[in-house]
Amino acid sequence: MQKMMGLVRRCIEDYNMIAPGERIAVGVSGGKDSLVLLQVLAGLREYMHFTLEAVTIDMGLGMDYSPIREMCEKLQVPYHIINTQIGPIIFEHRKEKNPCSMCSKMRRGALNQAILELGIRKIALGHHYDDAVETFVMSLVYEGRISCFQPVTDLDRTGVIQIRPMLYVHEKTAQNFAERMELPVVHNRCPVDKHTKREEVKQLVYELSQRYPDLKERIFGAMQRLPLPEWGPQGRYKRPKDQE
């Protein structure tokens, strides 16, 4: 727990993500990454002096979030479930052949609207180190551009600020942490789960990493040195080593 808290705290400080007294929402999908983030931020709040709430966008796919509600009760974190019909709209009514982009936009819009209605302006998302590398490669391969999400994103139109405090955490580290802590991961009932372009890129990066072991570290470091907009850390950053 202390190691994970240290990685997340360093990321928060490097990018000035959270100021004392702020009210932070965590976007909780039910997957391991968002639950790890929730657990770690709950541990950090007394040291960094912020308050925390959890928000889940229910896609209307029949997922049971009661284990997450129990987790939030134990952590003393207020929990909000926002019911939507995003899943049925995309898969039953529109029958989208490539649903991921529209789904992402609709979920993001619902999440931003929900936190604003709660009076919160800052939302923490569970993207980690590997997500950043894979997003960079996806943009290069499928769009022909150098791009990635930002550690801190100020959405001017809505007034929402997105932060990603887990960017220094490797996926396998998050996975092992979730298993050790017995976090209540909810099975994803999305019909295209594990059959997306992101999964293809994840496999590509994995295969290349077998030949070039430092590939992820080189890509992540390049994003910070270039840097992409807002990717230059303000703190004394050292690239995360293999955390196992």
Side-chain angles (χ1 to χ4, degrees), residues 1 9 20 69 82 85 100 131 148 202 209 220-221 224:
M1 182 67 172
R9 183 168 186 170
R69 183 176 296 281
I82 310 302
Q85 289 298 305
C100 295
D131 287 329
C148 185
K202 182 187 288 290
S209 296
F220 194 91
Q224 292 191 309

Side-chain angles (χ1 to χ4, degrees), residues 5 10 13 28 35 52 61 84-85 106-107 116 127 146 164 169 184 187 199 211-212 224-225 229 233 244:
M5 288 173 63
R10 182 153 59 89
E13 291 175 345
V28 178
L35 295 180
L52 197 63
L61 296 173
T84 75
Q85 289 298 305
M106 292 180 71
R107 284 189 294 110
L116 288 173
H127 299 108
I146 295 175
R164 295 174 169 88
V169 178
H187 174 64
E199 286 299 319
R211 184 170 181 179
Y212 307 104
Q224 292 191 309
R225 288 189 300 271
E244 291 307 301

Side-chain angles (χ1 to χ4, degrees), residues 86-112:
I86 293 175
I89 288 171
I90 290 175
F91 295 109
E92 297 175 16
H93 301 301
R94 297 181 61 94
K95 302 184 187 303
E96 292 285 332
K97 294 182 179 179
N98 298 298
C100 295
S101 178
M102 175 171 287
C103 179
S104 177
K105 290 178 181 178
M106 292 180 71
R107 284 189 294 110
R108 193 161 53 241
L111 185 58
N112 291 342

Side-chain angles (χ1 to χ4, degrees), residues 14-219:
D14 274 358
Y15 292 103
N16 295 324
M17 291 182 175
I18 299 175
E22 282 193 303
R23 190 176 168 206
I24 307 297
V26 180
V28 178
S29 65
K32 70 178 188 311
D33 302 326
S34 62
L35 295 180
V36 168
L37 178 60
L38 176 62
Q39 181 79 42
V40 174
L41 288 182
L44 283 172
R45 60 188 159 177
E46 63 178 289
Y47 301 104
M48 303 190 75
H49 309 294
F50 60 86
T51 59
L52 197 63
E53 300 188 28
V55 180
T56 292
I57 301 301
D58 184 344
M59 300 277 290
L61 296 173
M63 295 169 65
D64 179 13
Y65 296 104
S66 57
I68 299 177
R69 183 176 296 281
E70 293 176 8
M71 175 182 173
C72 288
E73 290 174 355
K74 291 179 181 178
L75 294 174
Q76 296 184 327
V77 173
Y79 184 43
H80 312 275
I81 298 178
I82 310 302
N83 296 311
T84 75
Q85 289 298 305
I86 293 175
I89 288 171
I90 290 175
F91 295 109
E92 297 175 16
H93 301 301
R94 297 181 61 94
K95 302 184 187 303
E96 292 285 332
K97 294 182 179 179
N98 298 298
C100 295
S101 178
M102 175 171 287
C103 179
S104 177
K105 290 178 181 178
M106 292 180 71
R107 284 189 294 110
R108 193 161 53 241
L111 185 58
N112 291 342
Q113 182 62 34
I115 69 167
L116 288 173
E117 290 177 358
L118 291 169
I120 305 174
R121 291 193 62 246
K122 190 167 284 188
I123 177 82
L125 304 175
H127 299 108
H128 49 61
Y129 183 93
D130 295 74
D131 287 329
V133 171
E134 291 159 9
T135 299
F136 179 90
V137 174
M138 280 184 68
S139 295
L140 196 61
V141 171
Y142 291 112
E143 300 174 11
R145 64 191 182 106
I146 295 175
S147 178
C148 185
F149 51 69
Q150 299 175 358
V152 178
T153 306
D154 191 342
L155 304 176
D156 294 333
R157 293 182 181 179
T158 62
V160 170
I161 297 174
Q162 297 176 341
I163 61 174
R164 295 174 169 88
M166 292 228 299
L167 291 179
Y168 292 175
V169 178
H170 288 261
E171 182 174 20
K172 61 183 177 181
T173 304
Q175 176 68 50
N176 290 340
F177 180 85
E179 291 173 358
R180 286 197 307 272
M181 300 295 292
E182 299 183 344
L183 300 183
V185 175
V186 176
H187 174 64
N188 190 348
R189 299 188 65 177
C190 173
V192 298
D193 185 40
K194 307 301 182 185
H195 301 283
T196 64
K197 289 183 177 179
R198 178 168 291 278
E199 286 299 319
E200 292 178 11
V201 169
K202 182 187 288 290
Q203 182 62 31
L204 172 63
V205 171
Y206 171 78
E207 292 170 1
L208 288 172
S209 296
Q210 301 305 297
R211 184 170 181 179
Y212 307 104
D214 295 334
L215 177 70
K216 291 180 183 179
E217 286 72 17
R218 292 182 183 278
I219 291 175

